[in-house]
Amino acid sequence: MDDKLEPRSRWFNLIGDEKKPYAGRIHVRTCLEGGYHVLDEAAHLTSDVRATAKQLSKPPIGLLEVGIRGANNLLPVKTKDGTRGTTDAYVVAKYGPKWVRTRTILDRFNPRWNEQYTWDVYDPCTVLTIGVFDNGRYKHDDALKKDVRLGKLRVRLSTLDANKVYMGTYSLMVLLPSGAKKMGDIEIALRFTCSSWLSLIQAYTNPMLPRMHYVRPFGPAQQDILRHTAMRIVTARLARSEPALGHEVVQCMLDSDTHIWSMRRSKANWFRVVGCLSRAATLARWLDGIRTWVHPPTTILVHILLIAIVLCPHLVLPTICMYAFLIISLRYRYRQRVTITMDPRLSYVDAIGPDELDEEFDGFPSSRPMEHVRVRYDRLRALAGRAQTLLGDVAAQGERLEALFNWRDPRATCIFVFVCLFASLVFYVVPFKAFVLGSGLYYLRHPRFRDDMPSVPVNFFRRLPPLSDQIL
């Protein structure tokens, strides 16, 4: 379908039997659109952003290799022969449209799989999901039997160094009605291999989603309907696979309950916002300390800087870019290591009461006995779920800005560092007045000279990694 033309409609005659050959007419408008990408997982944890049409896909920029070695100290989740506890564990990994499942190791608390899988990577700013489950359907034909989740990990590829092997043991955390519980550890090995550094850097400047998402965007309601429909299709397809994956496994891997109201998630998102705003409060306290001469040498240096800005305003921008280049480059050695495990502190699982956990595990709609209370309660939860998502999006913007300075995504920060260096050199040469004039004219340019796609800085900022993948 062209992005400017509506699909053509046609009238068709309905053919009946011999006694009544003409049964009427039907007006049909058919459109098979492949320019969009329908998400089947949470938007902040997506692992595939390619268009549906294969002819619109670009060549892969790298290869993701995952080695699932084994698990240690798994807790029993069921009984065997009615006397002792046991666990029949298997692992599911999902990246893009490809799902993989290991074999089930029966009656082992320290299973060893030693299986390796690979995925083509088309976008570095995506998330790999790994889940560990207990096989509850083994030797059971009862449809009520379900697989029990033992824990889940998420790995954001943009935080991995290219061509480096990450091998370690990571905790498996699961949220139960009684609280957060560690179910054991999993041993995995990861490696993201980059085939073209030029394509990898270029990916940071491209839009996150295909062109049709920006030229003819869907509304939020349509996106939710398409996402839930895609999830049902994926669930039905994997239920027919061999070995089959239950709907509870697919829903856990796709985070189908992220839109459901949860006091714990709301508190976690709120404290993420507070954590980002605390940096601004620290800056305000620093400025107040300068004003009150808490540290006289710093105050004197600020006075000298103020005089220099007044006397030489054309040196402001190059000096700021040069300072950013130097400070962020020096902070590379102090950058955080890759965090693959879920963060209980960030998930806010240790400071919630049993009533809040009971509310989170309550079904939707609520099972409250009073009909009127249940209607009001469900309406409140639906509204609060939107506020919860808004809090998460606001927190993600601040975390993306913070990730630019703390080398959480080494490639993005490296790009920004060299842009600062190049900008500082340009601003030292180009007069400040010419830059202001050029920037103003560019900002006020005619719509004919504007592009209908997001700009390069916006694309770059949206690709910076937030902490959403560490929320349990």
Side-chain angles (χ1 to χ4, degrees):
M1 179 182 116
D2 191 273
D3 60 350
K4 298 181 180 179
L5 298 177
E6 293 291 338
R8 294 183 178 181
S9 59
R10 293 181 58 186
W11 286 94
F12 292 90
N13 296 328
L14 299 178
I15 301 177
D17 52 13
E18 296 180 355
K19 298 181 179 179
K20 190 178 181 181
Y22 178 74
R25 304 183 71 190
I26 184 172
H27 191 203
V28 178
R29 173 180 290 171
T30 305
C31 175
L32 182 62
E33 180 53 70
Y36 293 94
H37 173 73
V38 179
L39 297 176
D40 59 356
E41 52 196 344
H44 58 279
L45 302 172
T46 183
S47 59
D48 186 15
V49 295
R50 292 177 296 163
T52 305
K54 294 183 178 180
Q55 58 266 29
L56 298 178
S57 297
K58 298 181 180 180
I61 62 175
L63 184 69
L64 175 63
E65 300 174 85
V66 179
I68 302 175
R69 305 179 65 187
N72 301 321
N73 304 321
L74 296 180
L75 297 182
V77 296
K78 57 188 177 184
T79 58
K80 183 178 183 180
D81 302 328
T83 56
R84 63 184 182 89
T86 183
T87 298
D88 305 326
Y90 67 92
V91 180
V92 177
K94 192 262 183 188
Y95 183 77
K98 179 181 176 181
W99 293 66
V100 297
R101 182 191 190 276
T102 65
R103 65 187 187 278
T104 301
I105 304 297
L106 301 178
D107 197 14
R108 290 289 186 273
F109 297 132
N110 299 288
R112 309 300 298 179
W113 291 285
N114 294 321
E115 299 184 16
Q116 184 174 355
Y117 304 94
T118 59
W119 286 269
D120 289 329
V121 177
Y122 296 87
D123 195 304
C125 304
T126 46
V127 177
L128 166 71
T129 303
I130 300 175
V132 184
F133 301 89
D134 172 77
N135 195 337
R137 294 180 172 85
Y138 178 69
K139 290 186 177 180
H140 291 281
D141 297 330
D142 189 0
L144 298 179
K145 291 290 183 179
K146 295 183 178 180
D147 296 349
V148 180
R149 66 179 70 180
L150 301 178
K152 182 169 58 176
L153 304 177
R154 301 191 189 103
V155 183
R156 191 173 290 274
L157 269 62
S158 61
T159 61
L160 302 178
D161 293 333
N163 305 320
K164 178 180 178 180
V165 178
Y166 293 86
M167 185 179 302
T169 302
Y170 307 99
S171 300
L172 295 172
M173 299 291 297
V174 65
L175 189 64
L176 302 174
S178 58
K181 187 176 183 180
K182 181 180 179 180
M183 302 299 293
D185 302 304
I186 183 173
E187 298 180 23
I188 60 174
L190 300 167
R191 184 173 66 176
F192 170 51
T193 305
C194 175
S195 57
S196 173
W197 279 95
L198 183 61
S199 300
L200 182 63
I201 295 175
Q202 184 182 4
Y204 281 89
T205 63
N206 294 331
M208 287 289 295
L209 295 172
R211 178 183 177 85
M212 293 297 292
H213 282 268
Y214 304 99
V215 177
R216 303 190 58 146
F218 285 128
Q222 291 177 302
Q223 293 181 12
D224 290 340
I225 294 174
L226 290 174
R227 182 192 170 208
H228 287 88
T229 302
M231 290 174 57
R232 289 194 294 267
I233 294 175
V234 172
T235 302
R237 176 175 61 85
L238 295 177
R240 298 190 300 266
S241 62
E242 184 61 36
L245 289 179
H247 70 278
E248 68 278 1
V249 176
V250 180
Q251 292 178 358
C252 176
M253 297 291 291
L254 296 180
D255 290 284
S256 61
D257 60 345
T258 53
H259 67 287
I260 302 298
W261 163 254
S262 168
M263 182 66 72
R264 177 189 59 83
R265 287 198 187 98
S266 298
K267 289 182 178 180
N269 291 333
W270 169 255
F271 284 103
R272 288 168 61 196
V273 174
V274 172
C276 294
L277 295 179
S278 63
R279 274 71 175 180
T282 302
L283 178 61
R285 288 193 298 267
W286 180 76
L287 293 176
D288 184 71
I290 292 176
R291 185 177 61 87
T292 56
W293 290 77
V294 174
H295 192 255
T298 304
T299 305
I300 294 174
L301 290 176
V302 171
H303 280 76
I304 296 174
L305 179 62
L306 178 61
I307 295 173
I309 290 175
V310 173
L311 297 179
C312 304
H314 59 280
L315 297 179
V316 174
L317 289 178
T319 303
I320 292 177
C321 294
M322 182 60 70
Y323 267 85
F325 167 75
L326 295 175
I327 293 174
I328 301 177
S329 298
L330 292 176
R331 294 187 65 178
Y332 176 77
R333 58 186 301 181
Y334 303 107
R335 72 185 184 99
Q336 295 180 351
R337 300 304 175 189
V338 177
T339 53
I340 296 178
T341 56
M342 299 295 182
D343 191 345
R345 180 190 59 81
L346 189 64
S347 303
Y348 208 74
V349 297
D350 297 330
I352 53 176
D355 182 66
E356 295 174 352
L357 280 175
D358 178 71
E359 180 183 10
E360 182 171 351
F361 282 91
D362 187 16
F364 193 87
S366 175
S367 58
R368 301 286 176 140
M370 299 180 62
E371 186 67 25
H372 296 288
V373 175
R374 182 171 61 184
V375 171
R376 292 193 297 266
Y377 185 57
D378 292 342
R379 186 185 301 115
L380 177 62
R381 293 173 68 184
L383 295 176
R386 297 182 181 178
Q388 166 187 303
T389 304
L390 178 61
L391 286 176
D393 294 338
V394 173
Q397 306 309 315
E399 290 167 355
R400 285 191 176 101
L401 183 61
E402 186 180 359
L404 191 61
F405 295 91
N406 60 12
W407 291 91
R408 176 167 165 78
D409 184 351
R411 287 175 289 273
T413 307
C414 185
I415 295 172
F416 179 73
V417 166
F418 281 101
V419 168
C420 290
L421 177 61
F422 177 77
S424 65
L425 299 178
V426 171
F427 289 140
Y428 276 119
V429 177
V430 178
F432 182 74
K433 295 181 180 180
F435 170 75
V436 173
L437 179 61
S439 301
L441 293 177
Y442 179 79
Y443 181 77
L444 300 174
R445 68 192 185 278
H446 193 272
R448 181 182 300 176
F449 303 101
R450 299 176 186 269
D451 191 9
D452 55 357
M453 302 297 288
S455 61
V456 172
V458 172
N459 296 330
F460 182 83
F461 182 80
R462 288 176 177 174
R463 290 179 173 278
L464 295 176
L467 297 178
S468 304
D469 51 315
Q470 298 181 31
I471 292 292
L472 186 64

